[in-house]
Amino acid sequence: PKVEQANQTLKQADANLRAARAEITVRNAARFPTVGLNATATTQRYSGSPYFNASPNYSISTTLQYPFEVNYEVDLWGQVRRNIAAGKEEMQATAADRANVLLSLQAELAFDYFNLRTDDRLQQLLNDTVKQYREAVRITTNRYNGGLAAKSDVTQAETQLQSAIVAASNIAIERAQFEHAIANLIGVAPASLTIPFSPLPEDTNPPVLPTGLPSELLERRPDVAAAERRANEGNEAIGIAQAAFYPSLNLGAALGFQSNATVQSIFNPASVVYSLGPGLADTFFDAGRRKRIKEN
């Protein structure tokens, strides 16, 4: 649980997932019309004598407009629908990426923990070995002092003792490294994490894996699931690119008030203006841009 709550890599994957979910909302908004207010107030001065005549004659015109505008693009060729479907596939792929990150972190945590416990077992074994070699050095030294052993026997015993001490020290360093790695994985400062010394029991055996596993297990791998979702997203992208070859139909409407007089007169019934009509747009030449997008 600490890996899922505090690891920064997983927090980044969570942020990517939230962004993918928000992107679906953005794409889904294209299914609905947009409504806005376009209020303008303009004042224009017209010269009564053109061509830089010095005559002071001029006129001033003031126009006030307060229209509500509605625009809607009809999804004739499924471009919006496919764009939403592609966003959903990307969101599911991002969720699989997040699951893959979590699985990798959990696997790394288990790897570091069991290696730490293995080092505890090795440390216990090496500590016992150092004690035995110390005793061997003592006995060999006494035999040498009594004339029953050669100096080379003492040197050999001391060499074995020093080798065991160095090996025990290396295991202690390696254990500290695994402990710091675990601290980084769970998002705590290495100095504040202390894992008690606890060697694995001698009768500890790894779990037995069956000789054969069903191929359906591959479908449960999050990286495979992410690749499958992105392949589906690519298929939707082909449909989006294909829709660009066809004309687009836009419906627009505006309703409001317009007046060339004072602000008080703009809301008179006679000042009501409106517009309503479709618009058809198509591109006849784009130097192969849409074709290249579809191929990519």
Side-chain angles (χ1 to χ4, degrees):
K2 291 184 177 180
V3 170
E4 192 167 0
Q5 296 172 1
N7 188 269
Q8 297 302 316
T9 303
L10 192 61
K11 286 184 179 294
Q12 181 182 2
D14 289 336
N16 293 336
L17 181 57
R18 290 193 298 270
R21 289 172 176 170
E23 180 64 22
I24 294 178
T25 304
V26 174
R27 298 186 184 190
N28 193 60
R31 298 173 54 192
F32 306 96
T34 58
V35 181
L37 175 64
N38 185 14
T40 61
T42 59
T43 299
Q44 295 178 331
R45 173 176 170 172
Y46 300 94
S47 175
S49 301
Y51 305 110
F52 304 100
N53 194 311
S55 174
N57 297 327
Y58 62 86
S59 61
I60 297 177
S61 174
T62 301
T63 304
L64 303 176
Q65 294 182 353
Y66 295 95
F68 288 92
E69 296 182 350
V70 180
N71 293 285
Y72 178 65
E73 181 177 354
V74 182
D75 190 23
L76 290 177
W77 320 112
Q79 185 175 16
V80 175
R81 174 179 54 82
R82 291 181 179 275
N83 197 25
I84 295 173
K88 291 180 179 179
E89 296 290 351
E90 177 60 27
M91 187 272 293
Q92 293 177 0
T94 305
D97 290 339
R98 193 256 184 199
N100 190 38
V101 170
L102 178 59
L103 181 62
S104 300
L105 291 173
Q106 290 173 339
E108 182 64 27
L109 178 62
F111 175 82
D112 292 340
Y113 178 78
F114 282 108
N115 274 282
L116 182 142
R117 291 308 181 201
T118 301
D119 285 346
D120 285 346
R121 180 62 181 165
L122 291 174
Q123 188 73 58
Q124 184 183 46
L125 177 62
L126 289 171
N127 289 341
D128 293 341
T129 302
V130 169
K131 291 180 181 179
Q132 294 175 3
Y133 282 167
R134 288 186 190 277
E135 182 65 18
V137 169
R138 186 187 66 82
I139 294 174
T140 305
T141 301
N142 291 337
R143 288 172 57 83
Y144 171 74
N145 293 333
L148 299 177
K151 181 63 176 178
S152 59
D153 294 341
V154 178
T155 303
Q156 182 178 3
E158 290 176 347
T159 301
Q160 291 176 338
L161 174 60
Q162 293 302 320
S163 298
I165 292 175
V166 171
S169 177
N170 291 337
I171 288 298
I173 295 174
E174 185 178 277
R175 184 190 190 278
Q177 292 174 344
F178 283 124
E179 191 175 59
H180 289 176
I182 292 174
N184 291 329
L185 287 173
I186 62 178
V188 300
S192 62
L193 178 66
T194 301
I195 301 177
F197 182 82
S198 178
L200 290 174
E202 296 183 1
D203 57 349
T204 301
N205 295 318
V208 179
L209 297 178
T211 56
L213 295 175
S215 59
E216 287 79 5
L217 290 178
L218 290 175
E219 299 177 359
R220 296 170 54 183
R221 288 182 48 172
D223 55 340
V224 175
E228 181 182 6
R229 297 299 182 272
R230 289 197 167 93
N232 294 338
E233 181 185 3
N235 291 333
E236 298 294 345
I238 295 176
I240 296 173
Q242 182 68 35
F245 286 91
Y246 305 107
S248 60
L249 176 62
N250 293 278
L251 302 179
L255 175 64
F257 300 91
Q258 179 177 355
S259 175
N260 295 329
T262 62
V263 177
Q264 291 79 6
S265 65
I266 193 174
F267 296 106
N268 293 334
S271 299
V272 175
V273 294
Y274 69 90
S275 64
L276 176 66
L280 191 65
D282 192 16
T283 301
F284 295 98
F285 177 76
D286 61 358
R289 177 177 176 271
R290 289 172 296 175
K291 182 179 179 180
R292 293 296 179 265
I293 293 176
K294 181 182 177 182
E295 292 176 353
N296 291 335

